[in-house]
């Protein structure tokens, strides 16, 4: 892949669709944690991931210095595959039936 313009265009398209993963994140997390700790669990998981993910640009830069763009693309594709496997193997916790809350307006 010798054309840097194609990398930018393809990267933008992949980024657009990969950021769509966040759309289903709240619905997915809500099925794994009870209501009482859902917000804390979601924020802890999300921010822990951000802390680890902050090292990714350094690691990608190291790979680019030592290898080439193909290895970086394989690394990123492997991360998405690992993420998919982890998501498919998660076990759903016990579900709760929530009672509707009656709101009174004075």
């Amino acid at each position: 892949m010798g054309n840097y313009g194609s990398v930018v265009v393809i990267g933008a398209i992949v980024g657009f669709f990969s950021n769509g993963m966040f759309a289903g994140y709240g619905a997915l997390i809500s099925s794994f944690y009870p209501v009482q700790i859902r917000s804390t669990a979601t924020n802890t998981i999300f921010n822990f991931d951000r802390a680890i993910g902050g090292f990714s640009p350094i690691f990608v830069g190291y790979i680019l210095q030592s290898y080439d763009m193909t290895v970086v693309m394989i690394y990123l594709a492997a991360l998405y595959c690992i993420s998919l496997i982890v998501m498919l193997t998660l076990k759903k916790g016990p579900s709760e039936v929530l009672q509707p809350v009656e709101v009174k307006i004075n």
Side-chain angles (χ1 to χ4, degrees), residues 28 32 79-92:
L28 180 70
F32 286 102
L79 288 179
Y80 281 112
C81 290
I82 291 169
S83 174
L84 175 66
I85 291 168
V86 168
M87 293 304 294
L88 292 176
T89 59
L90 288 174
K91 302 289 184 208
K92 185 175 178 181

Side-chain angles (χ1 to χ4, degrees), residues 2-83:
N3 186 353
Y4 293 113
S6 64
V7 172
V8 171
V9 171
I10 292 169
I13 293 169
V14 169
F16 175 79
F17 287 106
S18 69
N19 288 332
M21 291 185 307
F22 290 111
Y25 181 73
L28 180 70
I29 287 296
S30 67
S31 67
F32 286 102
Y33 297 101
V35 175
Q36 296 83 0
I37 65 164
R38 190 173 294 158
S39 176
T40 302
T42 302
N43 288 320
T44 301
I45 292 168
F46 187 70
N47 288 315
F48 183 75
D49 178 53
R50 287 177 59 196
I52 291 175
F55 292 104
S56 186
I58 296 168
F59 190 63
V60 168
Y62 171 75
I63 293 173
L64 280 173
Q65 274 187 328
S66 303
Y67 302 100
D68 61 353
M69 183 67 86
T70 305
V71 177
V72 171
M73 293 299 179
I74 291 170
Y75 163 70
L76 295 174
L79 288 179
Y80 281 112
C81 290
I82 291 169
S83 174

